[in-house]
Amino acid sequence: MRTYRLEIRLIQAAAALALIVVITGFLGLWGQAGQPSGSTAGAAETQRTAASAQTPSNSKIVALGDSFTLGYPLDTKHSWTQRLADDLKISVVNKGKGSQTAKDLLARFDADVVSEKPGRVIIFVGTGDAIQGVSLKDYQTNIQAMVEKAKANNIIPVLALPVWYPKYQTNIQEFRDWEIDYAKKQSLMTLDFTTVLFDSSKKSVDGLVSKDGKYPNAKGYEEMGDYAAKLLK
């Protein structure tokens, strides 16, 4: 009788052990297929890859934009790009022109950016698009095309959000909202000069903007350059 009970217990133990082996094997296969067990390592590898992809090939920067990049109503010597170059002690090429839209920037991207072979390009546009009544769809298409051109030429794109301009805040906000979301999805750096020139109620900061509220003054451009330098160093 005792021998019979012992045999029963041995059979039960063997069955339990077999069940454990089956479950362990199943979990191992599931981990390989769904990769939950290696998700942390995979995420870390993705982060390392993204970080290396964001390392500029060289320190040179091209600033592609409209009047706000040009330094209007002053000149390039008093622009935020010159201040950025002075702060970081690097080459910053000012490719700003007045009355520009994203379509205009795209049209001269090869000549003004790719030919310079920079490590990074700052794309600063949108206010002109709002003033000229460019649709959000067209704005999106042109920004995306420039970003893809930059990436294809091993140039890191940086998006500078359009700044406020009297009577066009609604359209500008629409561009800004989309660009912020797009930059997040593409893992792109953004510069927001409105944080320098305006307060939370969209009122210009005293001493940094012209009396008509349209463009930065000399001090405003200096502050913009210092701000950009902190993020791009």
Side-chain angles (χ1 to χ4, degrees):
M1 187 67 178
R2 291 179 180 178
T3 302
Y4 176 75
R5 290 178 179 175
L6 179 59
E7 289 176 349
I8 293 297
R9 290 176 181 175
L10 288 173
I11 292 172
Q12 290 175 337
L17 181 60
L19 181 61
I20 291 173
V21 171
V22 171
I23 293 173
T24 301
F26 174 77
L27 290 176
L29 291 173
W30 182 79
Q32 291 176 359
Q35 293 185 350
S37 61
S39 59
T40 301
E45 181 60 32
T46 300
Q47 291 173 351
R48 283 194 291 272
T49 302
S52 63
Q54 292 299 308
T55 301
S57 59
N58 61 75
S59 63
K60 185 178 184 180
I61 296 175
V62 169
L64 184 69
D66 54 21
S67 302
F68 290 96
T69 296
L70 179 64
Y72 185 86
L74 305 174
D75 52 43
T76 56
K77 292 181 180 179
H78 295 87
S79 65
W80 63 267
T81 62
Q82 184 59 54
R83 183 72 170 194
L84 173 62
D86 293 341
D87 283 351
L88 297 185
K89 303 294 190 294
I90 62 173
S91 173
V92 180
V93 182
N94 187 317
K95 291 294 184 178
K97 290 185 179 182
S99 303
Q100 296 277 283
T101 65
K103 182 179 179 179
D104 297 321
L105 266 57
L106 176 59
R108 58 189 178 92
F109 196 91
D110 288 339
D112 286 358
V113 180
V114 177
S115 65
E116 292 284 346
K117 298 181 180 179
R120 289 176 285 188
V121 57
I122 300 173
I123 301 170
F124 188 10
V125 72
T127 302
D129 291 80
I131 294 172
Q132 296 184 41
V134 175
S135 69
L136 175 61
K137 182 178 180 180
D138 287 342
Y139 180 72
Q140 293 171 339
T141 298
N142 292 318
I143 292 293
Q144 290 170 338
M146 284 188 280
V147 168
E148 292 307 313
K149 272 183 173 287
K151 290 181 177 180
N153 288 278
N154 195 32
I155 302 170
I156 296 175
V158 177
L159 299 181
L161 306 178
V163 298
W164 306 124
Y165 195 88
K167 299 180 181 180
Y168 294 94
Q169 282 88 338
T170 299
N171 289 348
I172 291 173
Q173 185 63 56
E174 186 178 37
F175 292 155
R176 285 170 55 86
D177 289 343
W178 171 79
E179 201 161 350
I180 290 171
D181 182 63
Y182 173 68
K184 288 181 179 179
K185 291 178 179 177
Q186 295 292 318
S187 299
L188 303 179
M189 176 185 287
T190 58
L191 301 177
D192 189 357
F193 291 118
T194 62
T195 61
V196 176
L197 302 174
F198 300 87
D199 59 24
S200 58
S201 62
K202 301 180 183 179
K203 181 180 178 181
S204 60
V205 176
D206 290 341
L208 298 184
V209 179
S210 58
K211 292 183 179 180
D212 59 10
K214 294 182 177 180
Y215 293 97
N217 56 25
K219 181 62 176 175
Y221 279 122
E222 287 182 5
E223 293 291 331
M224 290 170 68
D226 291 343
Y227 161 80
K230 290 178 181 178
L231 296 182
L232 295 169
K233 62 181 180 180

